[in-house]
Amino acid sequence: MVYLLFMMKHFILFCLLSSVFFMAQKKDTEIEDFLTKYRRNLITDLDSSVYYINKVKIISERKGDNFYLSKGLYGLGYCFYQKGDIEKAQYYIKKSIPVAFRSDNFQTQALAYNQLGLIENNKSNYQLAIQLFLKSLKISEKRELNEKSFALKNLGNLFLSQNDTVQAIHYFQEDYRFTKEKNLISEQFGSSNNLGMILRKKNPDSALMYFTDALSIARQLDQKKWQYDIHINLAVFFMGDHRKNLAAALSHLKAAKILIEEIGDSSLNFLYYYNLGGYHYKKRQYSEAITYYLKAEKIADNPAIPLDYKISLMDDLNTVFSKNGDYKEAYQYLKIYNKL
């Protein structure tokens, strides 16, 4: 049986150009106001962010301030990346780097190399992406920047996507230690969760420690979606043969269900029903397993549900119908599975 977990495989790109200053750089209140408005609108109104960050670029050019100009150029590149215009994104991000070097804006240098690494990773240029992430990491380490966490996570995610778990664990553990030492609470969540995922079979004791840390962080920050993710992962963890405890698994699934109702996102029921079906399958309660798998199937066409999740569900429906003696229905799901 396949049990679905939530792994933070997404690459870290949410770099908002916080106001970090070096040497004798003085704040420009006019430009800072536009930077604040730029950051405030990034999630809800990207076009407004483009307007405000372009203001930063224009004003800093007029004032001859390369420190803020590098922020403006990078910010424009970041906005175009979010819009999906990769050509413009690369243009502005690359343009920001020499300006950032001239003004000792080390934070923008680190962010720019990180973002260019993401672009190359998306193009499957993995070796170049690694080089760019490592450049970001080197700058961040030398200047003791918190942006180090972005580079470490992205390196971990890149190696994880290449199934190189040894390197992935190395970078995630380094990020875990760094974020813990710096008390970067929200940044610690991703590495905690991913280390729990990777180590759950090889080292279940360590995996449980990382999952527990991740859940504690999610609760501390009142991040209900993160809490849901970890409850799902812990349910799967306790259903595994390496640490089988079906009562604990059911407890985490019930906690996940409560959070779904609080969050108000019906697509989250997919993993809840799927893994509740897995729980009953583990108990050899095949009719009950079928009931919940079919509930998950009704949600599977939701665009928020990845295709590989649906493929896994069709495979498990084939298996559980066979176990329940309904070979005709099992064959129908086998055909859907093969088609997908």
Side-chain angles (χ1 to χ4, degrees), residues 187-241:
E187 285 84 350
Q188 194 179 336
F189 176 83
S191 289
S192 299
N193 179 56
N194 281 1
L195 284 167
M197 288 282 300
I198 297 170
L199 296 171
R200 65 192 177 92
K201 292 182 180 178
K202 293 181 180 179
N203 192 337
D205 288 337
S206 292
L208 183 57
M209 179 200 76
Y210 287 123
F211 279 142
T212 302
D213 271 6
L215 184 57
S216 175
I217 291 166
R219 285 171 171 164
Q220 186 177 342
L221 298 175
D222 197 28
Q223 288 278 4
K224 291 187 177 6
K225 175 59 170 59
W226 291 5
Q227 292 175 49
Y228 161 85
D229 296 332
I230 299 302
H231 280 301
I232 290 293
N233 287 352
L234 281 166
V236 175
F237 175 82
F238 283 116
M239 281 192 279
D241 293 332

Side-chain angles (χ1 to χ4, degrees), residues 97-116:
I97 293 174
V99 182
F101 272 98
R102 288 198 296 270
S103 58
D104 289 338
N105 188 344
F106 306 114
Q107 184 199 35
T108 296
Q109 294 170 31
L111 293 177
Y113 283 123
N114 178 72
Q115 200 69 41
L116 290 173

Side-chain angles (χ1 to χ4, degrees), residues 45-111:
D45 189 353
L46 197 53
D47 288 334
S48 290
S49 283
V50 172
Y51 171 80
Y52 290 123
I53 200 65
N54 194 50
K55 282 284 190 182
V56 170
K57 172 182 171 292
I58 292 168
I59 296 169
S60 56
E61 282 177 328
R62 189 183 72 231
K63 293 183 177 183
D65 190 324
N66 282 332
F67 189 90
Y68 279 114
L69 177 57
S70 63
K71 283 177 174 277
L73 291 167
Y74 170 79
L76 278 169
Y78 178 76
C79 285
F80 283 117
Y81 180 86
Q82 293 287 56
K83 282 175 165 283
D85 191 335
I86 303 305
E87 189 175 336
K88 282 187 179 179
Q90 277 186 302
Y91 171 78
Y92 283 110
I93 294 168
K94 286 181 177 178
K95 201 171 178 181
S96 75
I97 293 174
V99 182
F101 272 98
R102 288 198 296 270
S103 58
D104 289 338
N105 188 344
F106 306 114
Q107 184 199 35
T108 296
Q109 294 170 31
L111 293 177

Side-chain angles (χ1 to χ4, degrees), residues 11 121 126-127 130 133-134 152-172:
F11 289 74
N121 178 78
Y126 301 119
Q127 288 305 313
I130 289 171
F133 289 144
L134 287 173
L152 289 171
K153 282 191 184 69
N154 285 339
L155 283 161
N157 278 314
L158 189 153
F159 284 111
L160 184 60
S161 71
Q162 300 300 298
N163 296 315
D164 186 344
T165 55
V166 173
Q167 288 285 3
I169 289 170
H170 166 76
Y171 286 111
F172 285 138

Side-chain angles (χ1 to χ4, degrees), residues 280-298:
H280 286 289
Y281 182 90
K282 279 282 186 179
K283 297 193 77 173
R284 299 185 179 181
Q285 298 169 343
Y286 301 128
S287 294
E288 289 87 345
I290 289 170
T291 297
Y292 288 109
Y293 283 153
L294 291 177
K295 285 188 175 186
E297 184 188 17
K298 289 180 180 179

